Amino acid sequence: MSQAGLNRVWSQAILETIATAGVKHICIAPGSRSTPLSLEALELAERSGVTIHTHFDERGLGFLALGLAKATQQPVAIIVTSGTAVANLLPSTAESGLTGEKLVLLTADRPLSLVGVGANQAIVQKGIFSSHVRKSVLLPSPSRQASLSEELTPIKQGLAYQSLVGGALHINCPFPEPLYIQSDTEKDPYLTQLNLTELTGATKATSDVADLAKLYPSYNVPELTNSLQQGLVNQLPTLKTVVVIGKMPLSDAQNVQQWAQQMGWPILADPQSGVSSEWAHFDLWLQHPHYFNALSQAQCILQFGARIVSKRLAQWTKQVVTERNCHYWLFEPTASVLNPDRLPQLRTVASIPDCISLLSSMINAPANTSNWAETLKPASKEVEHCAMAIKRDNVLTECQLALRIDELVELMPNRELFVGNSLIVRLLDMLSKFENVNVHTNRGASGIDGLVATAAGVQRAQQSSMLTLIGDTSLLYDVNSLALLTRNNQPHVVIVTNNDGGAIFDLLPVPERQKQALYQMPHGYQFEFAAKQFGLHYTNPGCWLECREAIEDYLVCFGNGETQSALLVEISSPPEQASQQIKTITQAMKSHVV
């Protein structure tokens, strides 16, 4: 009997089971021990609608899968070989654990007999992802003695649980050698013996996962769950209320925005929502005591979506809730605890549209407190006035990019934007004003790793043009993933702001003497030859017009079929320039407003 054939049949059963649970994308890294899974994945793709993605870097592969899952809202599978290849999935898995994207980690392993005895490429893979995954399934090595039916059951249970709570499912697959079959006839005895159609047929497997999901409680119920919520709903029309729109899909954000406008309440929209309001730039104007105190008249905060970028908004929320007894109610579909300041928080766990429907059915619009924050609208205009000189400057800077990013988004046919972490997302939060933009981020663990790969995954899932904004250290960290942008179906523009290191630390109270050596870590690198290495187009514009024209020319070339690779736009700026320009804006505001 053939061990290689048995490995393949087990792999086929595993892959058909996850496919019937909704997996339509499988990401594969090279490896020998993962051969049974990889080859069966290819065969599955040939007979179904599953799409295969490959990448030589497992860390980047994990983030590519994260981007695919982020855009599709469906589970995405990852296949890697044993050893440190598995460990490289930890960063993307940790992110999915916080933000809920569904990843199915299929990790090949050495048989248990080879672990802990000095065998090559054998590490302890049990528990390697710790609490960052929702569930782990540790399969035995395929054998005639083991029951495949029994081993598929915990996989189906894991998929059912994942369908309710999101996050990653880890399935560890130890394969004994030999790994390579010589012909398909080696699989035939096991296919007959195990009756895979009965075990993994689409109707049965789907039914199994759906039935198992019923065993878990569902939190996604739009209802008032206690008397405090009912009492606050009754009071809302008479309360000065602030509506905060956090990270969520654009369609949900538009739903919240429309409802808040009907109520006549001020809207503070995070850049991750893709919408804005007449109270934009609040991260800057909240620094002014006059505006801070005016907003602090609020008696209730209704926040839709979590993961807010602005620390200043979080500080304001903490102060008015703890010192002024302002009500605070969070509406968010993720069941996780989302209350870092441990505030007295009311909570509804349900989809955003269902939450709006719930509130709309109970509150008449507009509220009695409609337009209570009209006097705050000049704050946004004041920020824009104080930033006008930077916006019109002949020299292209990071702050100018943030102030004018909407003009570049307008050039992209699908208005899709991926924003990195560290300094760039904070500049957008302070200075940008989005109108109906599909914004994607990794704002769970908020790491700077894997950002290019995640953007590539989002683009592949959306099949749309993409504009990506990241910093120089982020690109250095993920430069391998530029290989994912060599052949695209749609244009992709990557803008990297190069301030020679971690300029975010100019905005933080780090020790001045050690700031450069231990925090900023200047590198002195540029990215022209990195772009050439991966076959990308490149430009290093010195002014806004050059930047815009380079992107326009690239889009024309792509539209004419003259290229399939991405464009890398490098915006070079001196260290500390962005922090100095932000200080200039805030100081100008203080002198204008009394």
Side-chain angles (χ1 to χ4, degrees):
M1 301 294 280
S2 166
Q3 179 64 51
L6 190 56
N7 290 343
R8 289 285 295 273
V9 171
W10 276 51
S11 297
Q12 180 181 339
I14 293 167
L15 288 162
E16 289 186 355
T17 298
I18 67 170
T20 54
V23 170
K24 293 183 174 60
H25 295 269
I26 301 177
C27 300
I28 303 175
S32 180
R33 190 64 56 167
S34 54
T35 289
L37 288 166
S38 298
L39 294 181
E40 286 301 328
L42 289 180
E43 292 200 5
L44 177 64
E46 290 173 359
R47 62 178 182 268
S48 72
V50 170
T51 301
I52 301 296
H53 307 265
T54 61
H55 190 31
F56 52 78
D57 172 4
E58 287 90 0
R59 184 183 55 79
L61 185 80
F63 281 103
L64 176 70
L66 183 78
L68 288 163
K70 191 183 295 289
T72 62
Q73 298 294 300
Q74 296 294 325
V76 174
I78 307 170
I79 295 174
V80 298
T81 194
S82 61
T84 57
V86 179
N88 274 295
L89 297 182
L90 181 57
S92 54
T93 300
E95 177 71 18
S96 75
L98 294 172
T99 52
E101 291 84 7
K102 301 181 184 76
L103 302 179
V104 180
L105 314 177
L106 297 170
T107 60
D109 198 357
R110 261 56 178 172
L112 187 60
S113 61
L114 294 181
V115 178
V117 295
N120 182 52
Q121 203 172 321
I123 68 172
V124 177
Q125 295 179 194
K126 178 182 178 180
I128 192 169
F129 298 112
S130 184
S131 60
H132 300 294
V133 294
R134 298 293 187 256
K135 282 187 177 293
S136 293
V137 178
L138 304 176
L139 296 175
S141 293
S143 70
R144 285 173 290 171
Q145 291 73 39
S147 168
L148 179 56
S149 175
E150 291 181 4
E151 301 307 332
L152 289 178
T153 297
I155 295 177
K156 293 173 183 176
Q157 290 174 330
L159 291 166
Y161 186 61
Q162 182 187 55
S163 70
L164 298 173
V165 300
L169 169 65
H170 178 207
I171 305 172
N172 197 60
C173 309
F175 295 118
E177 295 183 1
L179 302 170
Y180 304 91
I181 63 174
Q182 302 306 308
S183 72
D184 286 339
T185 57
E186 294 184 49
K187 294 170 56 178
D188 292 343
Y190 305 108
L191 289 171
T192 302
Q193 174 188 344
L194 297 172
N195 193 358
L196 285 195
T197 302
E198 175 65 23
L199 288 175
T200 66
T203 303
K204 175 177 176 55
T206 303
S207 176
D208 284 348
V209 171
D211 289 342
L212 288 167
K214 296 175 184 176
L215 301 177
Y216 296 101
S218 176
Y219 297 96
N220 206 345
V221 179
E223 62 184 11
L224 302 180
T225 55
N226 55 58
S227 59
L228 291 176
Q229 292 181 354
Q230 182 64 66
L232 184 54
V233 164
N234 294 337
Q235 295 180 61
L236 271 178
T238 65
L239 297 179
K240 294 179 179 179
T241 299
V242 173
V243 175
V244 176
I245 308 180
K247 179 181 179 180
M248 66 183 67
L250 176 60
S251 58
D252 290 354
Q254 291 168 330
N255 197 348
V256 179
Q257 181 187 45
Q258 181 180 9
W259 177 76
Q261 288 171 342
Q262 291 172 353
M263 298 301 297
W265 289 329
I267 301 169
L268 305 183
D270 188 272
Q272 298 170 97
S273 69
V275 299
S276 189
S277 75
E278 295 178 279
W279 294 268
H281 316 305
F282 52 83
D283 190 83
L284 288 178
W285 56 254
L286 273 172
Q287 296 184 48
H288 197 289
H290 171 76
Y291 295 131
F292 185 95
N293 292 331
L295 188 66
S296 296
Q297 296 176 44
Q299 298 166 306
C300 180
I301 301 168
L302 300 181
Q303 179 177 327
F304 298 85
R307 307 292 177 190
I308 300 295
V309 172
S310 174
K311 288 185 177 180
R312 200 157 282 110
L313 177 57
Q315 292 165 354
W316 171 82
T317 299
K318 181 179 180 180
Q319 183 169 328
V320 295
V321 171
T322 57
E323 297 181 8
R324 307 195 183 200
N325 297 317
C326 179
H327 299 284
Y328 178 38
W329 195 344
L330 174 63
F331 301 85
E332 160 67 35
T334 305
S336 305
V337 175
L338 296 166
N339 191 4
D341 290 315
R342 296 170 175 80
L343 302 175
Q345 177 197 78
L346 296 178
R347 180 72 187 276
T348 296
V349 179
S351 73
I352 299 299
D354 284 348
C355 292
I356 293 298
S357 296
L358 171 70
L359 293 171
S360 297
S361 67
M362 296 185 171
I363 308 172
N364 293 324
N368 298 340
T369 52
S370 175
N371 302 321
W372 75 267
E374 289 294 297
T375 57
L376 273 169
K377 288 183 178 179
S380 175
K381 297 295 184 183
E382 185 65 27
V383 172
E384 294 172 2
H385 174 75
C386 293
M388 190 57 66
I390 296 171
K391 184 175 182 178
R392 294 176 175 174
D393 199 328
N394 291 328
V395 178
L396 180 56
T397 67
E398 293 169 285
C399 288
Q400 186 180 94
L401 174 66
L403 286 162
R404 306 186 70 165
I405 191 61
D406 57 312
E407 298 177 37
L408 298 186
V409 172
E410 288 289 341
L411 298 179
M412 309 304 294
N414 304 103
R415 301 177 65 82
E416 297 280 345
L417 176 65
F418 185 91
V419 183
N421 293 321
S422 201
L423 180 61
I424 187 62
V425 72
R426 288 171 172 82
L427 293 181
L428 292 187
D429 187 41
M430 296 174 186
L431 301 172
S432 300
K433 192 172 181 179
F434 290 136
E435 294 295 340
N436 302 321
V437 180
N438 295 297
V439 181
H440 309 274
T441 61
N442 281 353
R443 294 294 296 175
S446 297
I448 63 168
D449 48 345
L451 297 175
V452 174
T454 307
V458 171
Q459 182 181 31
R460 292 187 183 192
Q462 302 281 46
Q463 289 294 297
S464 63
S465 59
M466 177 68 69
L467 177 64
T468 296
L469 304 182
I470 59 173
D472 50 332
T473 306
S474 298
L475 183 52
L476 287 172
Y477 208 115
D478 201 29
V479 71
N480 279 356
S481 294
L482 291 177
L484 298 170
L485 305 181
T486 302
R487 287 179 292 276
N488 300 324
N489 293 328
Q490 296 290 332
H492 196 141
V493 177
V494 178
I495 299 180
V496 54
T497 54
N498 190 347
N499 48 48
D500 195 23
I504 181 61
F505 296 106
D506 292 329
L507 302 180
L508 302 175
V510 300
E512 188 63 33
R513 287 181 58 189
Q514 292 83 20
K515 182 170 72 171
Q516 188 176 86
L518 296 182
Y519 297 93
Q520 291 178 326
M521 295 190 183
H523 49 76
Y525 303 132
Q526 291 187 306
F527 295 98
E528 179 178 3
F529 290 99
K532 289 182 178 179
Q533 178 180 348
F534 293 102
L536 308 186
H537 300 268
Y538 173 85
T539 185
N540 183 206
C543 68
W544 179 255
L545 183 60
E546 290 179 6
C547 178
R548 183 184 176 100
E549 288 180 346
I551 294 174
E552 289 175 332
D553 290 346
Y554 163 74
L555 293 173
V556 170
C557 288
F558 203 104
N560 292 337
E562 298 171 23
T563 184
Q564 284 188 300
S565 63
L567 168 66
L568 180 61
V569 180
E570 181 171 7
I571 297 177
S572 304
S573 60
E576 301 185 356
Q577 182 186 63
S579 63
Q580 290 299 324
Q581 290 187 334
I582 293 298
K583 288 178 183 178
T584 298
I585 295 171
T586 55
Q587 288 171 358
M589 285 185 63
K590 290 177 181 178
S591 65
H592 288 180
V593 180
V594 294

mmCIF file of all heavy atoms in Angstrom, residues 100-127:
data_model
loop_
_atom_site.group_PDB
_atom_site.id
_atom_site.type_symbol
_atom_site.label_atom_id
_atom_site.label_comp_id
_atom_site.label_asym_id
_atom_site.label_seq_id
_atom_site.Cartn_x
_atom_site.Cartn_y
_atom_site.Cartn_z
ATOM 1 N N GLY A 100 -10.524 39.841 12.816
ATOM 2 C CA GLY A 100 -11.569 38.889 12.471
ATOM 3 C C GLY A 100 -11.545 38.274 11.101
ATOM 4 O O GLY A 100 -12.442 37.487 10.767
ATOM 5 N N GLU A 101 -10.550 38.583 10.257
ATOM 6 C CA GLU A 101 -10.509 37.933 8.948
ATOM 7 C C GLU A 101 -10.348 36.423 9.134
ATOM 8 O O GLU A 101 -9.588 35.961 9.982
ATOM 9 C CB GLU A 101 -9.359 38.476 8.096
ATOM 10 C CG GLU A 101 -9.544 39.904 7.637
ATOM 11 C CD GLU A 101 -9.113 40.937 8.652
ATOM 12 O OE1 GLU A 101 -8.541 40.530 9.690
ATOM 13 O OE2 GLU A 101 -9.341 42.140 8.432
ATOM 14 N N LYS A 102 -11.016 35.660 8.279
ATOM 15 C CA LYS A 102 -11.023 34.204 8.417
ATOM 16 C C LYS A 102 -9.876 33.590 7.607
ATOM 17 O O LYS A 102 -9.879 33.633 6.375
ATOM 18 C CB LYS A 102 -12.362 33.626 7.943
ATOM 19 C CG LYS A 102 -13.580 34.161 8.699
ATOM 20 C CD LYS A 102 -14.853 33.511 8.168
ATOM 21 C CE LYS A 102 -16.097 34.081 8.826
ATOM 22 N NZ LYS A 102 -16.436 35.424 8.297
ATOM 23 N N LEU A 103 -8.893 33.041 8.294
ATOM 24 C CA LEU A 103 -7.785 32.331 7.664
ATOM 25 C C LEU A 103 -7.836 30.861 8.076
ATOM 26 O O LEU A 103 -8.098 30.545 9.233
ATOM 27 C CB LEU A 103 -6.441 32.930 8.086
ATOM 28 C CG LEU A 103 -6.200 34.414 7.792
ATOM 29 C CD1 LEU A 103 -4.829 34.846 8.289
ATOM 30 C CD2 LEU A 103 -6.347 34.710 6.304
ATOM 31 N N VAL A 104 -7.580 29.974 7.122
ATOM 32 C CA VAL A 104 -7.477 28.542 7.405
ATOM 33 C C VAL A 104 -6.028 28.153 7.150
ATOM 34 O O VAL A 104 -5.581 28.107 6.000
ATOM 35 C CB VAL A 104 -8.439 27.714 6.530
ATOM 36 C CG1 VAL A 104 -8.297 26.231 6.861
ATOM 37 C CG2 VAL A 104 -9.877 28.174 6.732
ATOM 38 N N LEU A 105 -5.279 27.898 8.217
ATOM 39 C CA LEU A 105 -3.846 27.637 8.128
ATOM 40 C C LEU A 105 -3.617 26.135 8.009
ATOM 41 O O LEU A 105 -3.811 25.387 8.972
ATOM 42 C CB LEU A 105 -3.135 28.185 9.370
ATOM 43 C CG LEU A 105 -3.526 29.596 9.817
ATOM 44 C CD1 LEU A 105 -2.792 29.958 11.099
ATOM 45 C CD2 LEU A 105 -3.241 30.610 8.724
ATOM 46 N N LEU A 106 -3.214 25.677 6.834
ATOM 47 C CA LEU A 106 -2.904 24.266 6.598
ATOM 48 C C LEU A 106 -1.388 24.110 6.635
ATOM 49 O O LEU A 106 -0.699 24.437 5.666
ATOM 50 C CB LEU A 106 -3.468 23.819 5.250
ATOM 51 C CG LEU A 106 -4.992 23.885 5.111
ATOM 52 C CD1 LEU A 106 -5.416 23.654 3.667
ATOM 53 C CD2 LEU A 106 -5.660 22.863 6.016
ATOM 54 N N THR A 107 -0.878 23.665 7.761
ATOM 55 C CA THR A 107 0.577 23.593 7.952
ATOM 56 C C THR A 107 1.035 22.144 7.890
ATOM 57 O O THR A 107 0.608 21.304 8.686
ATOM 58 C CB THR A 107 0.977 24.208 9.305
ATOM 59 O OG1 THR A 107 0.340 23.505 10.370
ATOM 60 C CG2 THR A 107 0.553 25.672 9.373
ATOM 61 N N ALA A 108 1.908 21.853 6.945
ATOM 62 C CA ALA A 108 2.486 20.514 6.871
ATOM 63 C C ALA A 108 3.464 20.322 8.032
ATOM 64 O O ALA A 108 4.026 21.289 8.548
ATOM 65 C CB ALA A 108 3.195 20.322 5.536
ATOM 66 N N ASP A 109 3.643 19.090 8.440
ATOM 67 C CA ASP A 109 4.501 18.814 9.593
ATOM 68 C C ASP A 109 5.204 17.480 9.401
ATOM 69 O O ASP A 109 4.777 16.648 8.587
ATOM 70 C CB ASP A 109 3.638 18.780 10.873
ATOM 71 C CG ASP A 109 4.464 18.948 12.151
ATOM 72 O OD1 ASP A 109 5.704 19.035 12.053
ATOM 73 O OD2 ASP A 109 3.854 18.990 13.223
ATOM 74 N N ARG A 110 6.296 17.283 10.136
ATOM 75 C CA ARG A 110 6.913 15.970 10.241
ATOM 76 C C ARG A 110 6.025 15.086 11.111
ATOM 77 O O ARG A 110 5.289 15.592 11.958
ATOM 78 C CB ARG A 110 8.280 16.093 10.904
ATOM 79 C CG ARG A 110 9.485 16.101 9.981
ATOM 80 C CD ARG A 110 9.473 17.144 8.932
ATOM 81 N NE ARG A 110 10.709 17.082 8.127
ATOM 82 C CZ ARG A 110 10.921 17.766 7.042
ATOM 83 N NH1 ARG A 110 9.995 18.588 6.583
ATOM 84 N NH2 ARG A 110 12.056 17.656 6.370
ATOM 85 N N PRO A 111 6.085 13.781 10.916
ATOM 86 C CA PRO A 111 5.360 12.891 11.831
ATOM 87 C C PRO A 111 5.850 13.088 13.269
ATOM 88 O O PRO A 111 6.986 13.517 13.497
ATOM 89 C CB PRO A 111 5.701 11.491 11.328
ATOM 90 C CG PRO A 111 6.151 11.689 9.916
ATOM 91 C CD PRO A 111 6.793 13.035 9.864
ATOM 92 N N LEU A 112 5.009 12.795 14.237
ATOM 93 C CA LEU A 112 5.342 13.002 15.641
ATOM 94 C C LEU A 112 6.619 12.285 16.043
ATOM 95 O O LEU A 112 7.390 12.770 16.884
ATOM 96 C CB LEU A 112 4.176 12.526 16.513
ATOM 97 C CG LEU A 112 4.289 12.811 18.016
ATOM 98 C CD1 LEU A 112 4.394 14.310 18.272
ATOM 99 C CD2 LEU A 112 3.087 12.228 18.760
ATOM 100 N N SER A 113 6.890 11.168 15.402
ATOM 101 C CA SER A 113 8.092 10.390 15.749
ATOM 102 C C SER A 113 9.387 11.114 15.394
ATOM 103 O O SER A 113 10.460 10.756 15.892
ATOM 104 C CB SER A 113 8.056 9.026 15.047
ATOM 105 O OG SER A 113 8.032 9.208 13.631
ATOM 106 N N LEU A 114 9.315 12.128 14.532
ATOM 107 C CA LEU A 114 10.511 12.860 14.126
ATOM 108 C C LEU A 114 10.677 14.192 14.865
ATOM 109 O O LEU A 114 11.637 14.918 14.620
ATOM 110 C CB LEU A 114 10.463 13.134 12.622
ATOM 111 C CG LEU A 114 10.549 11.911 11.696
ATOM 112 C CD1 LEU A 114 10.503 12.334 10.240
ATOM 113 C CD2 LEU A 114 11.819 11.113 11.979
ATOM 114 N N VAL A 115 9.746 14.525 15.744
ATOM 115 C CA VAL A 115 9.815 15.782 16.482
ATOM 116 C C VAL A 115 10.510 15.557 17.813
ATOM 117 O O VAL A 115 10.188 14.621 18.556
ATOM 118 C CB VAL A 115 8.401 16.354 16.728
ATOM 119 C CG1 VAL A 115 8.483 17.646 17.542
ATOM 120 C CG2 VAL A 115 7.698 16.619 15.396
ATOM 121 N N GLY A 116 11.508 16.395 18.104
ATOM 122 C CA GLY A 116 12.221 16.311 19.374
ATOM 123 C C GLY A 116 13.358 15.316 19.383
ATOM 124 O O GLY A 116 13.902 15.008 20.456
ATOM 125 N N VAL A 117 13.733 14.802 18.198
ATOM 126 C CA VAL A 117 14.833 13.824 18.144
ATOM 127 C C VAL A 117 15.975 14.309 17.252
ATOM 128 O O VAL A 117 16.858 13.533 16.898
ATOM 129 C CB VAL A 117 14.317 12.451 17.651
ATOM 130 C CG1 VAL A 117 13.345 11.863 18.658
ATOM 131 C CG2 VAL A 117 13.661 12.564 16.265
ATOM 132 N N GLY A 118 15.920 15.571 16.858
ATOM 133 C CA GLY A 118 17.002 16.121 16.046
ATOM 134 C C GLY A 118 16.805 15.965 14.558
ATOM 135 O O GLY A 118 17.742 16.193 13.791
ATOM 136 N N ALA A 119 15.607 15.593 14.118
ATOM 137 C CA ALA A 119 15.348 15.461 12.687
ATOM 138 C C ALA A 119 15.338 16.839 12.037
ATOM 139 O O ALA A 119 14.919 17.832 12.636
ATOM 140 C CB ALA A 119 14.020 14.752 12.450
ATOM 141 N N ASN A 120 15.778 16.884 10.784
ATOM 142 C CA ASN A 120 15.869 18.147 10.066
ATOM 143 C C ASN A 120 14.492 18.771 9.872
ATOM 144 O O ASN A 120 13.516 18.082 9.590
ATOM 145 C CB ASN A 120 16.518 17.908 8.700
ATOM 146 C CG ASN A 120 16.702 19.188 7.911
ATOM 147 O OD1 ASN A 120 17.268 20.145 8.414
ATOM 148 N ND2 ASN A 120 16.211 19.199 6.682
ATOM 149 N N GLN A 121 14.430 20.085 10.031
ATOM 150 C CA GLN A 121 13.247 20.897 9.768
ATOM 151 C C GLN A 121 12.044 20.457 10.607
ATOM 152 O O GLN A 121 10.907 20.664 10.223
ATOM 153 C CB GLN A 121 12.871 20.850 8.278
ATOM 154 C CG GLN A 121 12.046 22.061 7.815
ATOM 155 C CD GLN A 121 11.841 22.102 6.306
ATOM 156 O OE1 GLN A 121 12.749 21.787 5.546
ATOM 157 N NE2 GLN A 121 10.663 22.482 5.865
ATOM 158 N N ALA A 122 12.298 19.862 11.753
ATOM 159 C CA ALA A 122 11.211 19.429 12.627
ATOM 160 C C ALA A 122 11.210 20.306 13.875
ATOM 161 O O ALA A 122 12.138 20.259 14.678
ATOM 162 C CB ALA A 122 11.389 17.959 13.010
ATOM 163 N N ILE A 123 10.185 21.120 14.007
ATOM 164 C CA ILE A 123 10.016 21.938 15.203
ATOM 165 C C ILE A 123 8.687 21.556 15.856
ATOM 166 O O ILE A 123 7.868 20.870 15.252
ATOM 167 C CB ILE A 123 10.034 23.445 14.890
ATOM 168 C CG1 ILE A 123 8.781 23.849 14.090
ATOM 169 C CG2 ILE A 123 11.303 23.842 14.152
ATOM 170 C CD1 ILE A 123 8.623 25.340 13.901
ATOM 171 N N VAL A 124 8.468 21.979 17.081
ATOM 172 C CA VAL A 124 7.190 21.717 17.747
ATOM 173 C C VAL A 124 6.160 22.698 17.190
ATOM 174 O O VAL A 124 6.231 23.902 17.459
ATOM 175 C CB VAL A 124 7.318 21.865 19.272
ATOM 176 C CG1 VAL A 124 5.944 21.655 19.929
ATOM 177 C CG2 VAL A 124 8.326 20.866 19.832
ATOM 178 N N GLN A 125 5.221 22.197 16.408
ATOM 179 C CA GLN A 125 4.213 23.051 15.794
ATOM 180 C C GLN A 125 2.906 23.071 16.579
ATOM 181 O O GLN A 125 2.042 23.913 16.329
ATOM 182 C CB GLN A 125 3.974 22.626 14.340
ATOM 183 C CG GLN A 125 5.206 22.842 13.467
ATOM 184 C CD GLN A 125 5.044 22.420 12.014
ATOM 185 O OE1 GLN A 125 6.032 22.304 11.301
ATOM 186 N NE2 GLN A 125 3.833 22.168 11.569
ATOM 187 N N LYS A 126 2.787 22.189 17.533
ATOM 188 C CA LYS A 126 1.607 22.193 18.395
ATOM 189 C C LYS A 126 1.571 23.480 19.218
ATOM 190 O O LYS A 126 2.527 23.816 19.891
ATOM 191 C CB LYS A 126 1.618 20.986 19.325
ATOM 192 C CG LYS A 126 0.449 20.945 20.289
ATOM 193 C CD LYS A 126 0.536 19.748 21.219
ATOM 194 C CE LYS A 126 -0.619 19.728 22.210
ATOM 195 N NZ LYS A 126 -0.548 18.568 23.138
ATOM 196 N N GLY A 127 0.492 24.221 19.144
ATOM 197 C CA GLY A 127 0.333 25.447 19.922
ATOM 198 C C GLY A 127 1.179 26.607 19.455
ATOM 199 O O GLY A 127 1.312 27.603 20.167
#
